[in-house]
Amino acid sequence: MKKRILFLSTMIILILNACKKEEVTTQEKITARWKIQNIEGASVSGSTTTSSNYVGLPSDYIDFRTDNKIYSSVNGTVDTASYAVSGNTITVTPDPGDAPLVYEVKSVSNTDLQLYNRNTISATAYTAITVNLKK
């Protein structure tokens, strides 16, 4: 009887552990070729705000690769950069020696990715970029 209870207990533990889903990292979620839906920009200085909205062309994309490289094409300009992921932050380094760009992953799903960058210039001035992507 004790062997049967031990066996059943072991089986239940194995089944419960097998059903646990592993946490998918931000890196795994973003690794794909994404189509650029639009890029929203804002420049704020005091009470003055200048906004822009670039609507992605059918050929525009951002491709996050597993080798920590980004390949992109925006409005006919092709580029490559390095990136690193830490939590929900993506740090992009366009070229060695260039200042990195830090993006917050605002949302990510199987089909959508939204990135946000805010660059503070002073206490009353900043620029912000929101990049909306779709698979």
Side-chain angles (χ1 to χ4, degrees):
M1 182 71 169
K2 286 184 181 182
K3 287 183 180 181
R4 182 174 272 173
I5 292 173
L6 179 61
F7 175 75
L8 287 174
S9 297
T10 303
M11 291 306 295
I12 290 171
I13 290 171
L14 289 173
I15 290 170
L16 290 175
N17 282 334
C19 293
K20 289 183 182 177
K21 291 186 177 182
E22 290 187 26
E23 182 68 26
V24 179
T25 66
T26 300
Q27 173 92 32
E28 292 169 324
K29 290 177 185 176
I30 68 167
T31 301
R33 184 175 174 129
W34 299 88
K35 296 176 185 176
I36 297 173
Q37 295 300 296
N38 71 315
I39 301 172
E40 303 166 9
S43 179
V44 177
S45 182
S47 61
T48 304
T49 300
T50 305
S51 297
S52 64
N53 184 41
Y54 172 78
V55 177
L57 301 172
S59 59
D60 289 349
Y61 67 87
I62 297 177
D63 189 356
F64 290 91
R65 303 272 180 99
T66 57
D67 63 356
N68 290 341
K69 298 275 187 202
I70 299 174
Y71 297 87
S72 64
S73 177
V74 181
N75 201 20
T77 302
V78 178
D79 201 3
T80 303
S82 297
Y83 77 98
V85 177
S86 178
N88 277 346
T89 301
I90 301 171
T91 303
V92 178
T93 306
D95 290 311
D98 285 352
L101 303 169
V102 179
Y103 289 90
E104 176 187 353
V105 176
K106 287 298 223 179
S107 64
V108 61
S109 70
N110 290 335
T111 59
D112 297 287
L113 174 60
Q114 184 180 63
L115 305 175
Y116 177 77
N117 168 272
R118 180 178 167 133
N119 180 29
T120 302
I121 299 165
S122 70
T124 60
Y126 67 90
T127 59
I129 299 171
T130 301
V131 181
N132 294 298
L133 306 166
K134 190 172 271 310
K135 279 190 188 171

